[in-house]
Amino acid sequence: VDGKLIAPVRPSVPSLKPGSEYLLEVVVRTMKVGHLFSQGTADSNEIWIDVALENDGKTIGRSGGLDEGKEVDPWSHFLNVYMLDKDGNRIDRRNAQDIFTPLYNNQMPPGTGQVVHYRFKVPEDAKGEIDVAVKLQYRKFDAKYMKYIYPDKEENDLPIVVMSSDTVTFPVDGEAALGQAPAKPEWQRWNDYGIGLLLKGNKGSEKGELIQAEAAFKQVEALGQAEGPLNLARVYIKEGRLEEAVEALGRAVEADPPAPPWTVAWFNGVVNKQNGFLDKAIENFRGIVDDRSQEMIDRGFDFSQDYVALNELGQTLFERAKMERANEAKRNEFLDRAIKRFEQALFYDSENLTAHYN
């Protein structure tokens, strides 16, 4: 999609032109949840985004609607896991014993978000206003599963819960309007948008919508928030732009207030490891798991129990040991330190695959 981004919507609401096409960006964020959303029976939980556009009482666009049997439009955006068996069939009867691999996993980690894109065309004869209503809907089981349990029922009558909703009214072929400003500050809205773009994929060619994420985080930095350069560093690391990542981390430290030192240390460690500065990376990761500042104590943070950080430290120590080919005693010292960190990770997670493998 090539066009000018008009964001954030509200307090200023742009006017739409009849016959023109637009891309509507919907941001969903998880708050105050310490695990993946939704977690649990994520293959059978039915959580989706319902978007409806109306003009003069007529529906001109819809995603996430229900059919006569109350089955959700299959082209909706679902926040679940689409799990497959070995033959490529969906796990749709709670037959967990047949799980083989996910086709996609649209769950959201704690404190993150998603961006969902909707393209629509304003009708040529549209006048007045276009009302956009967005809802995050939840139902415990989908229609196909309920049909399996109750084959004689004509519809899925399980209750649908609206978890979150929002509405925006766009003027048509007129002047821009003013709407009520959301409670969230502007920088946070840009940041949520950028995080959703950043997290759109992590492998191969699907590493997120990084150009758009970079632009969003630059807006956050321009608004004076440390989250801007900190998240720019995330983008640059994903793109392999390590020098720019270092510069962004430096700006995050200098911001007022600065970015959390443990987060900066983590990304400095990642960059130093990729650059081959293993001793610096070891110190970055060691400081995260071993040192506890007063701020960390006050906020209840103890990364000595973080098996991800422990594994990263162990792997870096192992890589450092490889450099001591001519000094067996030094090499063994690094290997012993690596083993201790992996054992530490296994103490907190006895089935941790990374720690066992290393």
Side-chain angles (χ1 to χ4, degrees):
V1 175
D2 186 15
K4 179 184 177 182
L5 175 65
I6 303 173
V9 175
R10 291 174 304 185
S12 177
V13 181
S15 177
L16 308 181
K17 294 184 179 181
S20 296
E21 288 192 348
Y22 295 92
L23 188 70
L24 177 68
E25 307 268 55
V26 174
V27 180
V28 186
R29 187 183 180 191
T30 174
M31 302 283 290
K32 300 180 181 179
V33 177
H35 54 74
L36 291 171
F37 176 79
S38 66
Q39 197 58 278
T41 53
D43 58 311
S44 61
N45 293 339
E46 193 171 41
I47 306 172
W48 74 100
I49 297 178
D50 183 353
V51 181
L53 283 74
E54 291 189 358
N55 175 242
D56 196 24
K58 296 183 297 184
T59 298
I60 61 172
R62 188 70 188 272
S63 174
L66 306 177
D67 65 11
E68 292 181 357
K70 293 189 177 180
E71 184 171 358
V72 180
D73 171 11
W75 293 99
S76 307
H77 180 81
F78 293 91
L79 281 74
N80 65 350
V81 180
Y82 197 103
M83 199 67 72
L84 303 175
D85 65 16
K86 62 181 178 63
D87 298 316
N89 300 309
R90 186 190 173 200
I91 301 295
D92 55 13
R93 302 185 308 280
R94 295 299 303 129
N95 48 319
Q97 72 279 3
D98 297 323
I99 287 177
F100 183 67
T101 188
L103 176 64
Y104 66 73
N105 184 349
N106 280 347
Q107 295 186 96
M108 292 190 292
T112 65
Q114 289 184 8
V115 176
V116 189
H117 315 295
Y118 296 92
R119 189 173 69 175
F120 69 95
K121 183 176 182 179
V122 179
E124 297 282 358
D125 59 350
K127 296 179 181 179
E129 297 174 334
I130 290 179
D131 298 313
V132 179
V134 182
K135 293 184 285 187
L136 181 65
Q137 307 266 51
Y138 171 89
R139 184 165 60 181
K140 180 56 185 173
F141 296 118
D142 62 25
K144 189 167 186 177
Y145 181 62
M146 293 303 291
K147 194 70 175 176
Y148 176 74
I149 300 174
Y150 301 108
D152 297 329
K153 274 193 173 184
E154 295 184 357
E155 63 179 35
N156 183 358
D157 59 1
L158 287 180
I160 295 173
V161 178
V162 179
M163 303 191 72
S164 183
S165 65
D166 198 3
T167 59
V168 179
T169 298
F170 293 91
V172 176
D173 204 18
E175 298 294 328
L178 287 177
Q180 183 176 359
K184 288 183 181 179
E186 183 178 351
W187 76 265
Q188 189 173 356
R189 298 174 69 195
W190 278 111
N191 201 54
D192 292 346
Y193 177 54
I195 288 172
L197 296 166
L198 173 68
L199 295 181
K200 279 188 172 289
N202 284 301
K203 296 180 180 179
S205 61
E206 297 183 1
K207 286 194 173 183
E209 297 176 5
L210 301 183
I211 294 176
Q212 299 92 322
E214 180 182 6
F217 293 137
K218 283 182 176 179
Q219 293 285 345
V220 178
E221 183 171 12
L223 292 168
Q225 300 296 319
E227 286 82 353
L230 183 65
N231 287 326
L232 279 171
R234 285 183 163 100
V235 172
Y236 297 146
I237 290 171
K238 258 192 171 184
E239 290 188 321
R241 298 157 62 183
L242 299 184
E243 290 185 7
E244 290 171 90
V246 172
E247 293 173 359
L249 289 169
R251 298 197 303 274
V253 172
E254 294 170 358
D256 184 20
W262 48 88
T263 308
V264 175
W266 171 263
F267 287 113
N268 273 325
V270 171
V271 172
N272 282 326
K273 184 181 178 184
Q274 291 190 27
N275 277 326
F277 305 141
L278 299 186
D279 289 323
K280 290 183 179 180
I282 289 169
E283 185 55 30
N284 292 139
F285 297 137
R286 187 212 59 76
I288 294 171
V289 299
D290 289 344
D291 299 341
R292 293 198 73 194
S293 65
Q294 188 60 49
E295 182 182 3
M296 294 169 68
I297 294 172
D298 292 342
R299 297 180 65 175
F301 292 163
D302 183 1
F303 297 112
S304 66
Q305 302 179 36
D306 187 332
Y307 52 78
V308 174
L310 289 166
N311 282 334
E312 194 65 45
L313 175 55
Q315 288 172 333
T316 309
L317 287 163
F318 177 69
E319 292 299 321
R320 180 64 180 83
K322 294 179 183 179
M323 298 173 64
E324 298 294 342
R325 297 180 180 180
N327 190 333
E328 184 177 358
K330 196 74 172 177
R331 182 175 67 249
N332 289 337
E333 178 189 337
F334 280 113
L335 290 174
D336 288 341
R337 290 170 63 187
I339 290 171
K340 289 179 181 178
R341 295 304 184 176
F342 292 128
E343 289 177 341
Q344 208 175 337
L346 289 171
F347 178 80
Y348 296 109
D349 180 10
S350 60
E351 298 181 357
N352 188 274
L353 177 62
T354 302
H356 276 295
Y357 176 81
N358 283 283

